[in-house]
Amino acid sequence: MANLRASSRTSPRSFFCFSFKSLAFTTALAILIFFSFSCLFTARTDSSDLSNFVLSTSSLRVGSTRRTVLALKSDPLKPRLDQIRKQADDHRALAVAYSVFARKLKLENSKLVRIFAELSRNYTDLMNKPSYRALLESDALSIDESLLRQFEKEVKERIKVTRQVISEAKESFDNQLKIQKLKDTIFQVNEQLTKAKKQGAFSSLIAAKSIPKSVHCLAMRLMEERIAHPEKYVDEGKPTPPAFEDPNLYHYAIFSDNVIAASVVVNSAVKNAKEPWKHVFHVVTDKMNLGAMQVIFKLKDYNGSHIEVKAVEDYKFLNSSYVPVLRQLESANLQKFYFENKLENATKDTTNMKFRNPKYLSILNHLRFYLPEMYPKLHRILFLDDDIVVQKDLTGLWKIDMDGKVNGAVETCFGSFHRYAQYMNFSHPLIKEKFNPKACAWAYGMNFFDLDAWRREKCTEQYHYWQNLNENRTLWKLGTLPPGLITFYSTTKPLDKSWHVLGLGYNPSIGMDEIRNAAVVHFNGNMKPWLDIAMNQFKPLWTKYVDYDLEFVQACNFGL
């Protein structure tokens, strides 16, 4: 009991100690359990990681195996092969399409059908080559890269050829391209044609206006004869034959510096005249050719015809104070226009190029406007150019009633051609006021003049008035026809066209019937009958009146 009481007295303290120990034990046990669970969890975790690693490694092997199989099924060279094959098929189809289209357009003659068909076959043959069959099979698991390169090279070569052929043949199929190319070609040809025309016109002008060697030779030999035997040919001091001023005879005026041409005019007129002894020819030349002219017309008898040979210098009234042309020749601007020696200036305007020839300001060319003063005792006279041939007796002209007109001439207009508008500047107010642009033009070359009517109408004064106004070439482009058309505007009587047929120096289409019926044929134009460029079909009309029996003509090999 005592012990029990003792225990009971000491129990709170003992209880505290016991509780503390129990708490410690419990804590330790909890810690031990915690660590046990931690170790167990850690062990499980490591085991899981290991399992994951093994699974992961195993999966990697399976994935790697899977990619290797896909890679074999989809080789990187396979898309390249498919692309090359597609290009080859596309271009083969394009060649076939062009071949079909070419056949529809009926281009067999251009060989395009055969070319495109051949291109198409080339692609087919390439695909069917044994070496490329395995390459092109769809189930092929491996591709030989070197063989692929060779295949690609051959396909590209064929594609290059196909594109080149299509490019070259495109104009055969593209109408717009055809039209544009045709326009370009036409433009280029027109440019070349314009250039060739200018050069041709200039060359033709040189050929037409140059003096042939035979013509120059004849003039020199005749002049040599004149100097060697002056007594035979001098008419100075001798009385003027009455026939030269007899108004009852048939008078002709011929103004020329070409000896052979003037002789042909006289020969042809005399040979076709019914009464040649009643015909008088007044030949006027320049001082340089006077001796040669005198000799050639003294060498033979002209069946009694009368021939007067004079130089323009013998007419003293023809000086620069009276004649506008002579005064204008002294102008520096006019001299520059005519004698400027530059090809580009000479060929700048082909239309007016012929007017740059100084002959158009030659006084010989303008003597036709002074006939009444040169032959004051005559009533009528027939003017003839030196490039004409007389084929019939011309005395019928003197029987024509001139109806008070001054100039008898053949009209040349037809339709809108050869009207006054083509010869004059109708933008000038004075020309526009005085003249009708549709008035019919006429021809110089064979003109019958009533000198009495000329004097009455004061035609020379009219000519002077207009020639002075045209000093700067604002009214017309030089020459003698425009001032003639102006001077004889209302005083010209049209003659029948059979009197005077023109164009033998430029128009090859003149009919021989028309020529045979003509009283006078005119070699107007550049192809004069004494030149090498003369038209062969017309040249015999002129050459038959050349005096080939004269020793001077023979010595110069004329006509050869």
Side-chain angles (χ1 to χ4, degrees):
M1 285 297 287
N3 287 340
L4 184 61
R5 280 191 212 99
S7 291
S8 65
R9 284 195 295 268
T10 57
S11 63
R13 188 175 174 182
S14 300
F15 179 78
F16 176 79
C17 291
F18 175 80
S19 298
F20 178 79
K21 288 178 182 178
S22 298
L23 181 62
F25 176 77
T26 304
T27 303
L29 184 62
I31 290 171
L32 180 62
I33 292 169
F34 175 76
F35 275 108
S36 296
F37 277 105
S38 295
C39 290
L40 180 61
F41 180 77
T42 304
R44 284 179 181 175
T45 303
D46 292 343
S47 176
S48 176
D49 287 345
L50 183 60
S51 298
N52 288 339
F53 174 74
V54 172
L55 288 170
S56 185
T57 306
S58 180
S59 298
L60 183 63
R61 281 198 212 100
V62 172
S64 176
T65 305
R66 222 173 262 161
R67 278 195 300 274
T68 303
V69 173
L70 289 174
L72 287 173
K73 288 186 177 180
S74 58
D75 195 301
L77 297 176
K78 184 69 174 177
R80 184 174 164 193
L81 173 63
D82 293 340
Q83 183 181 7
I84 295 170
R85 182 174 184 176
K86 185 177 184 305
Q87 288 179 350
D89 289 338
D90 290 345
H91 282 81
R92 183 184 64 79
L94 190 61
V96 171
Y98 270 96
S99 176
V100 172
F101 193 38
R103 190 173 289 108
K104 286 182 180 179
L105 294 177
K106 298 181 180 179
L107 297 175
E108 288 86 358
N109 292 336
S110 64
K111 301 180 181 179
L112 285 178
V113 175
R114 190 171 71 252
I115 291 173
F116 284 118
E118 184 68 26
L119 287 174
S120 175
R121 273 196 303 274
N122 285 344
Y123 286 107
T124 304
D125 294 344
L126 181 65
M127 302 293 188
N128 292 331
K129 276 188 177 182
S131 57
Y132 296 142
R133 281 180 185 174
L135 191 65
L136 297 173
E137 287 178 0
S138 59
D139 57 348
L141 296 178
S142 61
I143 296 174
D144 186 347
E145 189 171 356
S146 62
L147 188 61
L148 177 62
R149 286 200 190 99
Q150 180 64 28
F151 178 66
E152 182 180 19
K153 180 181 178 183
E154 292 193 36
V155 169
K156 285 184 176 180
E157 287 176 356
R158 283 163 173 76
I159 289 174
K160 182 179 178 181
V161 172
T162 303
R163 288 178 177 176
Q164 184 177 356
V165 171
I166 290 174
S167 176
E168 292 175 355
K170 191 176 180 182
E171 63 182 87
S172 299
F173 305 95
D174 190 338
N175 289 334
Q176 290 299 325
L177 188 62
K178 281 183 183 179
I179 292 170
Q180 186 58 46
K181 186 170 183 181
L182 184 60
K183 286 181 178 179
D184 294 342
T185 303
I186 291 172
F187 178 78
Q188 292 175 0
V189 170
N190 281 336
E191 287 289 309
Q192 294 174 358
L193 180 62
T194 301
K195 186 177 179 181
K197 279 184 176 179
K198 287 183 179 180
Q199 191 61 41
F202 186 72
S203 301
S204 177
L205 188 65
I206 292 175
K209 306 309 175 186
S210 300
I211 301 174
K213 184 177 179 181
S214 55
V215 174
H216 179 71
C217 167
L218 179 61
M220 292 299 99
R221 288 186 176 275
L222 292 171
M223 194 62 194
E224 182 183 19
E225 171 67 13
R226 169 69 174 76
I227 294 170
H229 306 94
E231 68 283 354
K232 293 183 181 179
Y233 311 105
V234 173
D235 291 329
E236 294 179 7
K238 297 181 181 179
T240 302
F244 291 171
E245 299 177 343
D246 187 351
N248 297 315
L249 300 179
Y250 305 109
H251 293 264
Y252 302 79
I254 304 167
F255 306 141
S256 175
D257 57 0
N258 187 325
V259 177
I260 194 69
S263 70
V264 166
V265 174
V266 174
N267 282 340
S268 62
V270 169
K271 288 183 179 179
N272 289 286
K274 295 178 180 178
E275 299 175 314
W277 55 89
K278 292 184 178 180
H279 295 256
V280 182
F281 297 91
H282 302 272
V283 180
V284 181
T285 186
D286 53 27
K287 199 73 174 177
M288 185 173 67
N289 290 284
L290 178 61
M293 287 284 190
Q294 289 173 335
V295 173
I296 200 165
F297 288 114
K298 292 274 189 179
L299 288 176
K300 58 177 285 188
D301 175 60
Y302 288 90
N303 296 332
S305 297
H306 310 278
I307 302 173
E308 178 188 38
V309 179
K310 297 184 74 171
V312 66
E313 290 81 3
D314 294 332
Y315 298 94
K316 303 301 181 184
F317 71 91
L318 297 174
N319 52 62
S320 59
S321 62
Y322 179 66
V323 179
V325 167
L326 293 178
R327 183 168 61 255
Q328 289 166 9
L329 270 176
E330 299 172 358
S331 165
N333 289 334
L334 205 61
Q335 289 179 7
K336 182 180 179 182
F337 176 80
Y338 275 113
F339 303 109
E340 190 175 39
N341 197 22
K342 292 182 179 179
L343 177 61
E344 62 271 20
N345 293 333
T347 58
K348 197 175 292 182
D349 184 357
T350 55
T351 304
N352 304 328
M353 190 190 304
K354 66 178 183 178
F355 297 116
R356 300 184 75 92
N357 192 326
K359 85 162 195 174
Y360 288 103
L361 274 184
S362 166
I363 186 58
L364 271 178
N365 215 33
H366 286 258
L367 283 182
R368 63 194 70 188
F369 294 105
Y370 299 97
L371 291 171
E373 294 161 282
M374 295 174 69
Y375 309 107
K377 295 184 179 181
L378 302 183
H379 303 304
R380 291 186 171 189
I381 194 167
L382 181 63
F383 169 77
L384 297 176
D385 265 341
D386 63 358
D387 56 352
I388 65 98
V389 171
V390 178
Q391 299 188 129
K392 294 183 180 180
D393 182 78
L394 299 178
T395 55
L397 290 167
W398 276 261
K399 300 173 184 177
I400 294 175
D401 184 1
M402 293 291 288
D403 298 323
K405 304 293 185 180
V406 177
N407 172 35
V410 170
E411 292 183 332
T412 56
C413 62
F414 60 96
S416 61
F417 296 98
H418 297 288
R419 302 284 177 177
Y420 268 50
Q422 292 181 261
Y423 299 95
M424 297 169 226
N425 178 19
F426 273 87
S427 63
H428 195 285
L430 196 56
I431 294 290
K432 188 175 182 179
E433 177 188 354
K434 297 288 185 181
F435 305 100
N436 179 5
K438 295 182 179 179
C440 188
W442 42 266
Y444 264 130
M446 189 212 75
N447 302 83
F448 188 73
F449 291 108
D450 186 331
L451 300 182
D452 293 332
W454 185 317
R455 298 181 186 102
R456 184 177 63 251
E457 297 292 337
K458 298 182 178 180
C459 292
T460 301
E461 287 83 347
Q462 286 289 320
Y463 161 71
H464 282 177
Y465 169 76
W466 290 102
Q467 189 68 44
N468 284 324
L469 288 176
N470 195 50
E471 183 171 0
N472 294 323
R473 303 179 303 281
T474 57
L475 304 184
W476 68 84
K477 293 187 176 77
L478 301 172
T480 55
L481 182 55
L485 295 174
I486 290 175
T487 302
F488 305 113
Y489 175 57
S490 57
T491 58
T492 296
K493 180 180 177 64
L495 300 179
D496 187 274
K497 293 186 182 296
S498 63
W499 281 108
H500 185 192
V501 171
L502 299 103
L504 277 70
Y506 70 89
N507 184 8
S509 62
I510 301 174
M512 292 308 297
D513 289 339
E514 185 180 5
I515 290 174
R516 278 190 291 268
N517 293 329
V520 169
V521 291
H522 193 174
F523 289 84
N524 58 311
N526 287 336
M527 300 178 185
K528 302 298 184 188
W530 54 84
L531 299 176
D532 292 335
I533 60 174
M535 285 184 275
N536 293 329
Q537 67 267 39
F538 301 141
K539 194 170 183 177
L541 300 171
W542 184 85
T543 54
K544 69 179 181 179
Y545 294 107
V546 175
D547 291 317
Y548 288 110
D549 55 333
L550 293 179
E551 60 175 318
F552 300 104
V553 175
Q554 294 173 1
C556 292
N557 299 320
F558 204 91
L560 299 179

